[in-house]
Amino acid sequence: MSTNLDIQARKTDAIARGVGMMTQVYADRAENSEIWDVEGNRYIDFAAGIAVVNTGHRHPKVIEAVKAQLDKFTHTCHQVVPYENYVALAERLNKLVPGNFAKKTVFVTTGAEAIENSIKIARAATKRAAVIAFSGGFHGRTFMGMSLTGKVFPYKAGFGAMPGDVYHVPFPIDLHGVTVEDSLNALTTLFKADVDPQRVAAIIVEPVQGEGGFYQVPTAFFKTLREICDKHGILLIADEVQTGFARTGKILAMEHHGVAADLTTMAKGLAGGFPLAAVTGRADIMDAANPGGLGGTYGGSPIGIAAAHAVLDVIDEEQLCERAVSLGNRLKQRLQSLRDDVPEIADIRGPGFMNAIEFNDAISGKPSPEFTNALRAKAQEKGLLLLSCGIHANVIRFLAPITIQDGIFQEALDILEASIREVRSEVGSKS
Ligand code: PMP
């Protein structure tokens, strides 16, 4: 039997070090909210493959749909020999994505690819080039994705010139002293100092910044962005790659704000663990690209499409939007109950089951990646997998499958509380 350490040593020799890893436990099998490693250790999964298996690992309905597809065909390339399932999933997304207008969809394979295509489509439709994104935002590791991403290290550092005509504006985060007004003023200044709004093709925004630290866009800001876009003929792109598919208690997070984007990017939770991504948007805008200008060999793989149909059925049948809200409330309540004893807790937040806790040093009030990392390590020792995020790496984000069983969720909350208390007492005894 290989041990985690053996494989880790081989990994160091065989895999490029640019592929960062959050744990050194190698997966053997997984079921709903649990993962077992190659040594037989069991973990409760509060990462869900970074917000992918919202419907749990190997949901029986998803597996059944994929198996049925495997028995029919696995790849024809939709651009060569198309299949009905692709069309049917587009019809479903066209209905699900907010906006009282005709919509069309294109399928690709990864979140970054959805972002690339949304910008291609926006530029083709507007015949403009500039794009505005937000500091702290994350939009993928391809070149345009990197350029749009508002964090230099590790995403852009060392990778040379970024595609141009991309501008960043501060994202409004009250907790960090950036108000909605500050962000809007920055946008006004940008339009005066750097780029004519008539040259701007799109503004791209995550309704909840994911990698950036789980900060939800304020409704007033989102609505004002919509107005600014309408005023200047700019397209609004909602990047729902991490926020989508019941995670925030809605199918898509922009539903919390009553705002409809012109283009929406989706991936991750869409296909419950199979690679599939989509761009859905206003039909006339989506049709701006020439035939052959969009797509890709694997775009809309029949396996991913079959899985996505099952995921949408499961979200509906198991009422996962409602369940996300109730699980998130239980998690946030438990974390709130620790506030008096743990002065490092700076904030507890997040819609539905897209929750986060932010840690600052109890004395200096500065971000504490140390507390955050110690907590991640401690929880992992006790069998709970946690992810961190945030531009200061001082946020733990919680992304458990929304299908997590009640008993296992309770167990995870107990581990989480014990881990936070232990890290506090270790940090406290040092200070
Ligand atoms: N946009 C957002 C908001 C994301 O969270 C991510 C992935 N973390 C991406 C784009 C890129 O997706 P992928 O890793 O599938 O390319």
Side-chain angles (χ1 to χ4, degrees):
M1 183 190 81
S2 299
T3 64
N4 288 312
L5 265 180
D6 294 338
I7 308 174
Q8 182 61 17
R10 285 167 47 207
K11 178 255 166 196
T12 306
D13 285 343
I15 307 292
R17 87 192 164 95
V19 184
M21 282 170 46
M22 306 223 184
T23 70
Q24 269 106 50
V25 295
Y26 285 80
D28 180 46
R29 65 195 171 86
E31 203 69 52
N32 196 358
S33 57
E34 294 165 287
I35 298 179
W36 287 265
D37 73 9
V38 287
E39 296 173 14
N41 302 308
R42 172 244 191 198
Y43 297 91
I44 302 175
D45 183 12
F46 263 36
I50 319 188
V52 170
V53 289
N54 290 353
T55 45
H57 291 280
R58 304 182 68 255
H59 192 290
K61 290 225 160 144
V62 176
I63 297 298
E64 192 190 332
V66 167
K67 280 187 175 159
Q69 184 58 49
L70 287 175
D71 286 339
K72 288 187 182 162
F73 64 94
T74 60
H75 179 80
T76 57
C77 183
H78 191 265
Q79 288 134 255
V80 180
V81 180
Y83 28 96
E84 184 184 357
N85 250 358
Y86 182 115
V87 180
L89 188 65
E91 289 166 345
R92 285 181 91 168
L93 290 183
N94 294 343
K95 282 206 191 89
L96 283 176
V97 171
N100 193 15
F101 40 79
K103 292 181 217 99
K104 287 193 176 186
T105 290
V106 58
F107 291 109
V108 286
T109 311
T110 67
E113 229 188 321
I115 299 296
E116 295 286 329
N117 280 282
S118 71
I119 303 298
K120 282 167 64 175
I121 294 164
R123 284 181 166 175
T126 58
K127 302 192 172 50
R128 303 173 178 187
V131 185
I132 297 171
F134 292 92
S135 306
F138 183 84
H139 301 288
R141 289 181 172 83
T142 51
F143 260 103
M144 185 46 98
M146 275 196 290
S147 188
L148 294 168
T149 290
K151 182 178 178 185
V152 172
F153 195 85
Y155 304 125
K156 303 183 185 202
F159 295 126
M162 297 288 131
D165 242 353
V166 169
Y167 303 84
H168 287 92
V169 169
F171 191 75
I173 303 173
D174 257 336
L175 185 70
H176 298 175
V178 184
T179 63
V180 167
E181 210 189 342
D182 292 336
S183 292
L184 291 173
N185 286 342
L187 198 54
T188 308
T189 305
L190 185 78
F191 287 156
K192 283 198 197 322
D194 292 302
V195 60
D196 178 356
Q198 298 305 313
R199 274 210 327 103
V200 178
I203 298 179
I204 183 165
V205 63
E206 293 162 88
V208 182
Q209 281 199 333
E211 307 302 310
F214 278 30
Y215 303 103
Q216 188 172 21
V217 65
T219 298
F221 186 69
F222 211 2
K223 281 190 186 300
T224 311
L225 280 185
R226 180 69 273 175
E227 283 165 25
I228 291 169
C229 285
D230 291 342
K231 180 170 165 206
H232 298 292
I234 298 170
L235 302 181
L236 184 61
I237 304 175
D239 180 354
E240 294 258 13
V241 166
Q242 191 157 158
T243 45
F245 303 99
R247 176 54 56 189
T248 70
K250 305 273 184 194
I251 296 289
L252 293 167
M254 69 184 127
E255 292 169 43
H256 290 285
H257 311 281
V259 172
D262 299 298
L263 294 168
T264 300
T265 55
M266 294 160 279
K268 293 188 186 271
L270 168 62
F274 295 86
L276 183 73
V279 184
T280 298
R282 284 182 186 275
D284 52 332
I285 292 169
M286 291 295 295
D287 275 340
N290 293 320
L294 305 179
T297 306
Y298 296 108
S301 145
I303 310 293
I305 296 272
H309 277 291
V311 163
L312 293 179
D313 291 344
V314 168
I315 289 175
D316 194 34
E317 289 160 15
E318 298 185 17
Q319 302 184 328
L320 292 189
C321 287
E322 291 77 2
R323 184 156 170 78
V325 173
S326 93
L327 289 167
N329 285 341
R330 278 167 66 190
L331 171 61
K332 284 182 280 189
Q333 269 162 22
R334 179 64 85 92
L335 295 171
Q336 290 293 359
S337 74
L338 302 176
R339 277 198 106 134
D340 287 347
D341 296 341
V342 186
E344 284 82 3
I345 299 177
D347 194 33
I348 294 159
R349 58 174 174 269
F353 206 26
M354 186 165 181
N355 309 129
I357 182 166
E358 181 158 341
F359 295 105
N360 287 347
D361 185 86
I363 295 160
S364 70
K366 297 227 165 75
S368 182
E370 297 80 16
F371 194 102
T372 312
N373 281 333
L375 173 57
R376 203 157 59 78
K378 180 74 69 188
Q380 191 180 316
E381 263 168 50
K382 294 178 188 293
L384 175 65
L385 296 180
L386 298 178
L387 286 180
S388 56
C389 64
I391 48 170
H392 304 295
N394 67 329
V395 178
I396 292 284
R397 52 175 154 170
F398 302 102
L399 287 167
I402 306 166
T403 48
I404 188 169
Q405 305 90 318
D406 276 325
I408 294 182
F409 186 54
Q410 194 57 41
E411 187 188 340
L413 293 183
D414 293 343
I415 296 176
L416 182 60
E417 173 168 348
S419 304
I420 293 176
R421 287 189 185 282
E422 280 178 40
V423 172
R424 158 85 292 257
S425 67
E426 284 161 20
V427 170
S429 63
K430 275 192 219 138
S431 58

